[in-house]
């Protein structure tokens, strides 16, 4: 790990069934990493679980949706001087054991942004056929317009 400070933003809405597993995975595979869960007005027991486990979290005052939750997390990273910020969803689809691979091009100075994809190897979580069609369409459009292949445009 380089000297750059790493922060994980975890947008979270009604993740009572997965958030403990997500944080356990993060703590087991990247114990040196700072994180903040952005609880976006969950209506289930998510906040009780966050509080009971002593997790680092804040509550949005109103439901802002995934975009607002992520923006809240990135604003926190900016205000607190983190060098690298990574979005890590609260539903368990992202795995902390891949953080090093995701950060490596940034740490080597080869990229300012990296995007991981859960679809490249066709294992683990896979979305519906209609959503995959949309992803392929947008990926090809980005390649045509920008000359860059993006595997997971979501």
């Amino acid at each position: 790990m380089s000297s750059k400070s790493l922060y994980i933003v975890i947008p979270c809405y009604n993740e009572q069934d997965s958030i403990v597993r997500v944080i356990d995975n993060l703590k087991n595979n990247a114990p040196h990493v700072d994180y903040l869960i952005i609880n976006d007005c969950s209506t289930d027991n998510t906040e009780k679980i966050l509080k009971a486990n002593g997790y680092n979290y804040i509550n949005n005052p109103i439901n802002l949706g995934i975009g607002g939750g992520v923006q809240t997390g990135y604003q926190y990273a900016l205000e607190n001087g983190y060098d690298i910020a990574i979005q890590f969803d609260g539903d368990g689809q992202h795995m902390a054991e891949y953080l090093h691979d995701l950060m490596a091009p940034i740490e080597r100075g080869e990229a300012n942004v990296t995007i991981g994809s859960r679809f490249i190897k066709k294992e683990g979580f896979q979305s519906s056929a209609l959503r995959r069609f949309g992803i392929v369409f947008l990926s090809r459009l980005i390649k045509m317009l920008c000359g860059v292949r993006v595997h997971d445009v979501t």
Side-chain angles (χ1 to χ4, degrees), residues 133-144 150 153-154:
F133 171 79
I135 290 168
V136 168
F137 173 79
L138 290 173
S139 179
R140 288 181 179 162
L141 183 62
I142 291 169
K143 174 71 173 163
M144 184 177 72
V150 177
V153 297
T154 59

Side-chain angles (χ1 to χ4, degrees), residues 4-122:
K4 292 185 178 188
S5 59
L6 173 63
Y7 158 81
I8 307 293
V9 55
I10 305 171
C12 182
Y13 178 73
N14 290 346
E15 303 296 358
Q16 69 181 15
D17 296 333
S18 59
I19 196 63
V20 171
R21 185 176 71 253
V22 167
I23 301 303
D24 284 350
N25 176 260
L26 189 59
K27 288 181 175 181
N28 289 334
N29 289 287
H32 57 281
V33 171
D34 291 343
Y35 71 90
L36 182 66
I37 300 166
I38 312 300
N39 184 31
D40 197 26
C41 294
S42 294
T43 58
D44 64 0
N45 290 316
T46 297
E47 185 179 3
K48 290 178 185 172
I49 293 167
L50 300 176
K51 187 178 285 188
N53 284 285
Y55 294 154
N56 302 325
Y57 76 98
I58 60 172
N59 291 314
N60 280 341
I62 59 170
N63 182 282
L64 299 174
I66 185 71
V70 170
Q71 285 180 357
T72 300
Y74 284 135
Q75 185 65 36
Y76 178 90
L78 181 64
E79 290 174 4
N80 288 278
Y82 286 96
D83 295 312
I84 299 173
I86 296 176
Q87 179 185 337
F88 200 85
D89 288 349
D91 63 6
Q93 64 180 300
H94 300 144
M95 305 305 294
E97 47 268 38
Y98 297 106
L99 287 174
H100 176 73
D101 294 339
L102 189 62
M103 290 178 35
I106 295 171
E107 290 184 325
R108 289 191 304 263
E110 298 170 356
N112 291 323
V113 175
T114 59
I115 301 171
S117 177
R118 60 192 178 267
F119 300 125
I120 293 173
K121 292 186 179 180
K122 308 265 190 267

